[in-house]
Amino acid sequence: MKICHLTSVHQDGDIRIFHKECVSLSQQGFEVHFIVPNTESRLENGVHIHGFVGETLNRSVRIRKTVKEVLKVALAIEANLYHLHDPELLQIVSQLKKTGAKVVFDSHEDVPKQIMDKFWIPFFFRSILSKVYAKYEKRKAKSLDGIISVTPQICERFMQFHAQVCLVANYPLRHEFEDCKFNRKKSNHFCYVGGLYASRGIKEVVLAMEHVDATLHLAGRFDDPLLQKELEGTQGWKKIIYHGQVDRTAIQNILEQCSVGIVTLHPTPSYLEAYPIKLFEYMAAGCAVLASDFPLYRSLLGKTECARFVDPQSRNQITEALQVFIDNSEQTSSMGVEARKGFEFQYNWENEAEKLLLFYRKILKA
């Protein structure tokens, strides 16, 4: 069976699309193709990568022109199943279906809710655009053979108007976290890995650091230079080791040193139901977790006894929780061990790969 994954915006080497889905399917004997803009065509890890030149940053040009290039390459491959990874690719479902192939859509985000968080869209228009897209997505979904998504909440929304929906969560790969070096961890070293945005709680975390005797490792890129400059001028910044945007190896090295991983996203519509990959990477690395006090996070982490929960917009609660981690270092270490167990037995990609494989076989058989 020939499987083709398509993207008009993701980058070559995307963790979910390439390293998790494509490679896993290739290892199961499928002939796997991956269409991705602005890269070299080649065979890597058993996956046929098809590169093409296309605009990815200008949203308008991408929707009008890059999608057409993706379609052109896709039709030449003549796959049995096409797996779409971007909302804008829903416009080519009918052309792909005419070939007799099955078509599935992988919804990485709850787009209607995500639109409500877009600061660059005037607030008055967000609700309108969100509703318009939701209707468009529902109409296009009817012609799909299956839908995949990353959280139960998004899947439940799609189940209201489609019979074939599968949850394939974006958990870490086991081989990236084969060894957990607990002996390297420092009890007063914390980490925050990912996009450094105000809505993701970075300001409150840095301000909280002023009041604890600890070191915070930051890995990621600030979306707002003014926010970065503001935080660099605070007392809390003196306790920060800022790594910037780093590769996977560097991230793992950071996680190995830290006893606690921080994921204090603000309660925006999309974040309230998100499965942030860094949360599960913290667990894979044996870190206790400081998380936003969301019902979803409590349902995920409460049973593993590996986390403390705070109001992400309260620097005082964050300060107090960090101090508790420091004052109770043995308990913090035990929480890290429980976090690792949660990763090994439940929150890993290999379990999700099995679900993806079974869903594919069901779709192809139908």
Side-chain angles (χ1 to χ4, degrees):
M1 285 289 182
K2 191 183 292 186
I3 308 296
C4 182
H5 286 249
L6 296 72
T7 181
S8 53
V9 65
H10 289 83
Q11 296 181 349
D12 187 9
D14 183 270
I15 301 297
R16 177 176 175 85
I17 303 174
F18 178 72
H19 289 285
K20 293 177 182 176
E21 294 180 329
C22 288
V23 173
S24 296
L25 292 165
S26 176
Q27 291 171 345
Q28 292 297 323
F30 288 99
E31 180 183 323
V32 183
H33 297 256
F34 179 29
I35 302 173
V36 58
N38 305 321
T39 192
E40 178 184 359
S41 296
R42 63 193 187 279
L43 179 67
E44 182 178 335
N45 288 354
V47 178
H48 301 268
I49 299 174
H50 303 264
F52 67 95
V53 177
E55 175 60 50
T56 60
L57 298 179
N58 186 306
R59 189 173 288 100
S60 176
V61 175
R62 194 177 72 223
I63 291 173
R64 288 185 292 107
K65 296 184 178 181
T66 305
V67 170
K68 291 181 180 179
E69 292 299 316
V70 172
L71 176 62
K72 180 180 177 181
V73 179
L75 293 175
I77 292 172
E78 298 181 343
N80 300 99
L81 185 149
Y82 290 100
H83 188 141
L84 315 181
H85 286 277
D86 309 303
E88 61 216 43
L89 294 178
L90 289 172
Q91 64 183 289
I92 64 173
V93 172
S94 59
Q95 292 97 315
L96 295 174
K97 291 282 291 181
K98 287 178 181 178
T99 68
K102 304 292 185 180
V103 181
V104 301
F105 174 49
D106 196 332
S107 182
H108 297 199
E109 309 281 352
D110 190 324
V111 178
K113 288 185 177 178
Q114 193 183 49
I115 290 172
M116 297 300 296
D117 293 340
K118 299 294 187 183
F119 68 90
W120 48 268
I121 300 176
F123 185 79
F124 174 78
F125 293 107
R126 293 180 200 175
S127 179
I128 297 173
L129 289 174
S130 177
K131 291 176 181 177
V132 168
Y133 174 79
K135 289 183 179 180
Y136 168 78
E137 185 180 61
K138 181 177 181 179
R139 177 167 56 84
K140 286 293 183 179
K142 293 179 180 179
S143 59
L144 291 165
D145 296 284
I147 299 172
I148 295 168
S149 197
V150 294
T151 73
Q153 290 77 11
I154 301 176
C155 287
E156 287 170 8
R157 181 169 64 82
F158 281 114
M159 286 176 184
Q160 295 175 14
F161 48 85
H162 204 289
Q164 300 296 338
V165 180
C166 181
L167 170 63
V168 181
N170 201 25
Y171 298 147
L173 289 155
R174 271 206 183 107
H175 73 78
E176 281 197 339
F177 295 91
E178 282 188 273
D179 299 316
C180 193
K181 300 180 177 64
F182 288 103
N183 61 325
R184 288 197 62 195
K185 293 192 177 297
K186 302 171 185 176
S187 60
N188 64 340
H189 278 234
F190 310 138
C191 60
Y192 181 110
V193 176
L196 305 176
Y197 310 157
S199 63
R200 295 189 178 185
I202 186 58
K203 182 175 182 178
E204 290 83 358
V205 170
V206 171
L207 294 177
M209 287 299 297
E210 176 184 350
H211 306 289
V212 294
D213 182 15
T215 298
L216 175 65
H217 295 260
L218 288 186
R221 181 181 294 127
F222 280 91
D223 72 325
D224 183 355
L226 294 177
L227 175 62
Q228 180 177 354
K229 186 175 181 180
E230 176 189 348
L231 295 181
E232 287 175 344
T234 65
Q235 291 298 311
W237 192 264
K238 295 178 181 179
K239 301 174 183 178
I240 306 294
I241 297 177
Y242 180 43
H243 299 270
Q245 192 79 29
V246 296
D247 61 20
R248 302 292 297 169
T249 301
I251 289 175
Q252 289 174 17
N253 184 56
I254 293 167
L255 296 178
E256 285 179 358
Q257 301 177 56
C258 297
S259 59
V260 178
I262 300 173
V263 53
T264 48
L265 307 181
H266 286 185
T268 66
S270 60
Y271 288 161
L272 280 167
E273 298 179 355
Y275 273 35
I277 182 63
K278 64 183 176 183
L279 187 157
F280 303 105
E281 290 182 342
Y282 294 155
M283 296 178 71
C287 298
V289 178
L290 178 63
S292 301
D293 195 359
F294 297 164
L296 174 62
Y297 291 1
R298 283 192 176 271
S299 69
L300 288 169
L301 305 177
K303 295 178 182 179
T304 62
E305 298 183 356
C306 69
R308 299 188 190 282
F309 302 94
V310 294
D311 176 350
Q313 294 174 296
S314 170
R315 72 185 71 169
N316 290 334
Q317 285 193 27
I318 295 171
T319 298
E320 291 170 3
L322 293 177
Q323 190 62 52
V324 172
F325 280 123
I326 295 170
D327 293 341
N328 300 272
S329 58
E330 289 188 8
Q331 183 184 39
T332 300
S333 297
S334 297
M335 293 171 75
V337 172
E338 292 302 311
R340 174 69 184 187
K341 290 179 182 177
F343 162 72
E344 290 177 345
F345 291 106
Q346 183 175 1
Y347 300 125
N348 61 75
W349 169 252
E350 283 67 19
N351 288 341
E352 301 306 296
E354 287 294 323
K355 291 161 62 176
L356 176 63
L357 182 62
L358 290 173
F359 189 65
Y360 266 26
R361 287 176 173 163
K362 181 179 180 180
I363 295 297
L364 289 167
K365 185 177 180 180

